Amino acid sequence: QVQLVQSGAEVKKPGASVKVSCKASGYTFTSYAIHWVRQAPGQRLEWMGWINAGNGNTKYSQKFQGRVTITRDTSASTAYMELSSLRFEDTAVYYCARERYMDVWGKGTTVTVSS
Amino acid sequence: QAVVTQEPSLTVSPGGTVTLTCGSSTGAVTSGHFPYWFQQKPGQAPRTLIYDTSNQHSWTPARFSGSLLGGKAALTLSGAQPEDEAEYYCLLSYSGARVFGGGTKLTVL
């Protein structure tokens, strides 16, 4: 069945970078874009950006522009979200979702920023 | 960046009807914003209920419907069930970039 499997939890120090992966299975990876969404503890969902898995084109939220980079490896059917210059407030669960009407979501990756 | 607004909280009686709304700081919400509605329960990933204003996924209970109402996107729940108690988020598209609303905590009581 269609699945998005995300990488495991991460603990990072302020100023570091984190790279979260999202491996797709059960469909042709290049047929749909992948969104990245995050949710800080007790807070709202935040859309971070997306990547066209076919041609690699990206679009980012203004809030994260300059700090986030979304890439993909078509040979591995995997999308990646890298967030740099981490701050304490970047502590959140990071989700990927398939752009077929956002029908499939990963289970989320917890990123903790702590000194 | 646009700001998307939702009611912070609403309460509905079991079996009752409630409408959640989703507004945009840029003006009226239209079908061109491709409104989405998500349901999220504690500790779970969001689940998409409605896409492109009014389209349901196969798993969306028929009691949920989406529309445009008075310049906003709307999610109407008709015949609320206890299991509908959750946080609901809308998502609007602005030339490809997306913005979530602040969420509505729906209580079924």
Side-chain angles (χ1 to χ4, degrees):
Chain A
Q1 75 278 26
V2 176
Q3 284 188 96
L4 296 175
V5 178
Q6 298 187 223
S7 48
E10 303 261 13
V11 180
K12 296 290 183 181
K13 294 194 182 305
S17 297
V18 68
K19 191 170 186 177
V20 179
S21 67
C22 171
K23 183 172 176 59
S25 62
Y27 73 98
T28 302
F29 176 68
T30 51
S31 294
Y32 301 102
I34 294 287
H35 293 271
W36 287 91
V37 174
R38 81 173 188 181
Q39 187 170 39
Q43 301 299 310
R44 60 190 277 176
L45 298 172
E46 287 188 286
W47 184 81
M48 300 181 71
W50 65 335
I51 185 165
N52 180 320
N55 61 20
N57 287 348
T58 55
K59 191 149 185 107
Y60 301 126
S61 166
Q62 285 181 13
K63 174 173 178 174
F64 300 101
Q65 193 87 37
R67 278 211 304 145
V68 68
T69 305
I70 300 174
T71 57
R72 96 288 191 220
D73 179 347
T74 56
S75 66
S77 297
T78 300
Y80 303 91
M81 186 285 301
E82 183 169 21
L83 189 62
S84 62
S85 304
L86 289 170
R87 310 158 185 163
F88 295 119
E89 53 266 34
D90 292 319
T91 293
V93 178
Y94 290 76
Y95 296 102
C96 58
R98 182 174 79 155
E99 175 45 47
R100 183 185 175 277
Y101 312 118
M102 300 182 83
D103 60 342
V104 177
W105 290 65
K107 293 192 185 310
T109 296
T110 299
V111 174
T112 302
V113 182
S114 173
S115 54
Chain B
Q1 178 169 295
V3 175
V4 177
T5 54
Q6 299 183 243
E7 298 86 0
S9 63
L10 290 170
T11 299
V12 61
S13 300
T17 297
V18 65
T19 297
L20 289 64
T21 68
C22 175
S24 172
S25 63
T26 62
V29 175
T30 70
S31 59
H33 289 98
F34 305 104
Y36 277 58
W37 290 93
F38 303 86
Q39 179 190 65
Q40 188 180 34
K41 296 183 178 179
Q44 296 182 15
R47 181 174 75 145
T48 310
L49 294 176
I50 300 289
Y51 62 92
D52 293 354
T53 305
S54 59
N55 294 287
Q56 298 174 323
H57 279 297
S58 58
W59 54 81
T60 304
R63 59 185 180 273
F64 289 96
S65 62
S67 64
L68 295 176
L69 198 63
K72 297 183 178 183
L75 176 70
T76 298
L77 170 57
S78 303
Q81 301 297 310
E83 61 264 30
D84 298 330
E85 186 161 296
E87 192 85 22
Y88 291 83
Y89 292 92
C90 68
L91 177 74
L92 299 180
S93 177
Y94 297 88
S95 300
R98 314 296 173 92
V99 181
F100 278 101
T104 295
K105 182 172 174 56
L106 182 66
T107 301
V108 181
L109 191 60

